């Protein structure tokens, strides 16, 4: 090799800082001479490829992938056997190694005690290579692995995948049904398949999966009445750890639908009298989104901006966020917000942000950010 390439490789080896090492490796890969590669370099090569993708540098991406392929499937497999902790890196490398590497990846999925990393790598593989062996594995494997196989299949555009998921959604094994639901949501993020509507509707009666079935159904049919009602019912927290997180997820799903969520309005409006103020705020925002009428939300939101609410931690942050989301439609709240801009320091950023979203005047928000930064308030960085 020429002196320039040798010098670049020496810089790669010598660089202790990961960023410097990877920049040097990128320079070496783009040089005129081929760079010797080994499995131990895989993490840096994957990082260089990610850097190339982010920077839309097609030449660098091409040579990084070529370098990973030159490591070879056998060397990657040996690296995985010697150091199973690095499985995720090796799986990503195998996915880039063409049909041979992708077939090996399917084999590892069937052997690995923790197959989730392999599943995500399989999402980036060629359907023509991985779908047939994955379908076979789905038929032969035990339930816990089968659920992962379903998720690995989900993004691939093959009609057999939807048929398999429809069957799995009605499987007697709960692990299979849960895996099929996760996989179905992944599939619907990629493409709409109406053949999944009927099996999803059956799961609306399943206490464990009804929320996720509803969220999937409104992707297929945004105005699906029963699914919208299920989402509206989850605006109030349920029992257990998961139930505490579902209300905000339900809110986001209904807001994304906008006026297509109108069927749920009777249940959403009923939340105006709920004992929990956070539930009332969620319902008010969804009602505005489903109608476009500010009067559906403003009375509830303004009622949260009471002296008592401002005095109690964490204050009416949820209402301030809702007013910000409404933008210009919440103009009636501007006088109250201006009064509170300087009198409630711990909420000043939230108030200023809401004012900016409503009025498009950046001055109050800019001043609030500068004051917060001067006092060391790291929350100001999220507003920049």
């Amino acid at each position: 090799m020429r002196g320039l390439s040798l010098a670049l490789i020496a810089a790669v080896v010598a660089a202790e800082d990961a960023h410097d090492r990877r920049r040097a490796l990128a320079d070496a890969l783009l040089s005129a001479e081929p760079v010797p590669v080994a499995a131990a370099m895989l993490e840096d090569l994957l990082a260089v490829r990610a850097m190339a993708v982010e920077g839309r540098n097609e030449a660098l991406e091409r040579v990084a992938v070529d370098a990973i392929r030159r490591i070879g499937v056998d060397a990657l497999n040996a690296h995985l056997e010697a150091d199973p902790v690095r499985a995720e890196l090796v799986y990503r490398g195998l996915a880039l190694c063409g049909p041979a590497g992708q077939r090996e990846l399917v084999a590892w999925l069937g052997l690995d005690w923790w197959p989730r990393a392999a599943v995500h790598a399989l999402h980036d593989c060629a359907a023509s290579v991985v779908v047939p062996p994955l379908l076979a594995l789905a038929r032969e494997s035990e339930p816990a692995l089968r659920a992962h196989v379903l998720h690995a299949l989900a993004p691939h555009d093959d009609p057999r995948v939807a048929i398999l998921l429809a069957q799995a959604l009605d499987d007697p094994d709960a692990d299979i049904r849960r895996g099929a639901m996760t996989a179905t949501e992944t599939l619907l993020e990629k493409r709409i398949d109406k053949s999944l509507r009927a099996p999803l509707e059956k799961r609306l009666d399943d206490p464990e999966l009804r929320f996720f079935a509803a969220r999937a159904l409104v992707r297929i049919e945004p105005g699906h009445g029963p699914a919208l009602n299920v989402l509206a019912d989850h605006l109030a927290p349920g029992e257990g750890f998961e139930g505490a997180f579902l209300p905000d997820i339900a809110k986001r799903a209904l807001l994304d639908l906008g006026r297509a969520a109108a069927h749920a309005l009777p249940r959403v409006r009923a939340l105006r009298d709920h004992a929990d103020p956070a539930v009332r705020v969620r319902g008010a925002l969804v009602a505005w989104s489903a109608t476009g009428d500010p009067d559906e939300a403003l009375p509830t939101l303004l009622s949260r901006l009471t002296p008592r609410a401002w005095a109690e931690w964490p204050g009416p942050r949820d209402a301030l966020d809702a007013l910000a989301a409404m933008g210009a439609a919440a103009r009636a709240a501007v006088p109250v917000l201006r009064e509170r801009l300087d009198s409630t320091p711990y909420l000043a950023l939230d108030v200023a942000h809401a004012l900016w979203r409503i009025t498009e005047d950046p001055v109050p928000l800019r001043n609030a950010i500068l004051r917060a930064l001067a006092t060391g308030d790291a929350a100001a960085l999220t507003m920049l």
Side-chain angles (χ1 to χ4, degrees):
M1 297 180 70
R2 296 175 182 171
L4 177 62
S5 295
L6 289 171
L8 286 168
I9 293 168
V12 171
V13 174
E16 294 183 5
D17 179 77
H19 179 75
D20 291 343
R21 185 174 66 247
R22 289 161 184 171
R23 287 303 325 174
L25 178 57
D27 291 339
L29 290 170
L30 290 170
S31 67
E33 298 292 340
V35 176
V37 293
M41 298 170 63
L42 179 60
E43 183 173 3
D44 285 336
L45 288 168
L46 287 167
V48 169
R49 177 181 179 261
M51 182 172 61
V53 171
E54 184 177 355
R56 299 183 181 180
N57 187 333
E58 294 181 4
L60 179 58
E61 181 186 5
R62 187 167 53 251
V63 294
V65 171
D66 177 68
I68 293 169
R69 289 176 176 169
R70 285 192 285 116
I71 294 173
V73 172
D74 291 341
L76 288 173
N77 279 335
H79 188 56
L80 179 54
E81 290 170 356
D83 189 4
V85 173
R86 304 176 73 78
E88 183 175 359
L89 293 172
V90 176
Y91 293 153
R92 288 161 57 198
L94 287 170
L96 294 170
C97 286
Q102 293 170 14
R103 283 191 288 269
E104 286 294 310
L105 184 52
V106 175
W108 278 114
L109 176 66
L111 297 172
D112 197 347
W113 67 277
W114 183 245
R116 187 169 297 172
V119 167
H120 290 300
L122 283 161
H123 287 179
D124 297 325
C125 294
S128 60
V129 175
V130 300
V131 166
L134 284 173
L135 288 170
L137 194 58
R139 289 190 292 268
E140 299 167 3
S141 55
E142 47 85 26
L145 175 60
R146 188 179 168 202
H148 287 291
V149 174
L150 293 172
H151 196 196
L153 281 164
H156 296 294
D157 193 1
D158 186 302
R160 293 172 293 179
V161 174
I163 293 171
L164 182 66
L165 288 178
Q167 295 168 348
L169 284 167
D170 202 31
D171 196 276
D173 188 282
D175 283 339
I176 298 299
R177 292 197 302 274
R178 283 192 293 268
M181 184 61 69
T182 301
T184 297
E185 290 202 89
T186 300
L187 182 150
L188 293 173
E189 288 172 2
K190 301 283 185 179
R191 63 191 183 280
I192 299 302
D193 192 316
K194 293 184 178 180
S195 69
L196 291 166
R197 173 176 168 164
L200 284 169
E201 287 176 331
K202 291 181 69 174
R203 297 272 67 82
L204 289 177
D205 296 324
D206 182 335
E208 184 180 7
L209 295 178
R210 65 194 303 260
F211 173 82
F212 304 99
R215 187 169 63 170
L217 278 165
V218 295
R219 285 185 177 274
I220 297 172
E221 183 185 336
H224 193 287
L228 289 168
N229 287 339
V230 169
L231 292 175
D233 289 343
H234 281 82
L235 289 171
E239 297 180 357
F241 177 79
E242 189 175 67
F245 289 93
L246 292 183
D248 283 330
I249 300 173
K251 179 187 75 172
R252 184 71 265 160
L254 290 165
L255 291 178
D256 287 344
L257 292 169
R259 300 194 185 190
H263 180 89
L265 278 169
R267 298 191 185 206
V268 171
R269 286 170 175 152
L271 298 175
R272 291 170 179 165
D273 299 321
H274 199 280
D276 185 342
V279 176
R280 297 199 297 270
V281 167
R282 285 189 208 104
L285 186 60
V286 170
W288 163 75
S289 175
T291 62
D293 182 359
D295 289 336
E296 290 279 355
L298 286 175
T300 298
L301 299 182
L302 291 174
S303 72
R304 278 283 285 142
L305 306 183
T306 62
R308 179 177 177 179
W310 291 105
E312 295 176 347
W313 180 263
R317 275 201 170 95
D318 52 356
L320 294 172
D321 289 342
L323 290 167
M326 290 178 66
R331 281 187 293 270
V334 169
V336 177
L337 295 176
R338 290 199 189 281
E339 286 178 11
R340 288 289 173 178
L341 191 56
D342 298 317
S343 60
T344 315
Y346 77 95
L347 286 173
L349 283 170
D350 304 85
V351 174
H353 178 251
L355 276 171
W356 171 61
R357 291 294 304 271
I358 295 168
T359 66
E360 299 186 352
D361 178 5
V363 174
L365 180 59
R366 182 190 64 197
N367 292 341
I369 290 172
L370 291 174
R371 284 195 300 270
L373 290 173
T375 60
D377 184 354
L381 297 175
T382 66
M383 300 286 182
L384 296 177

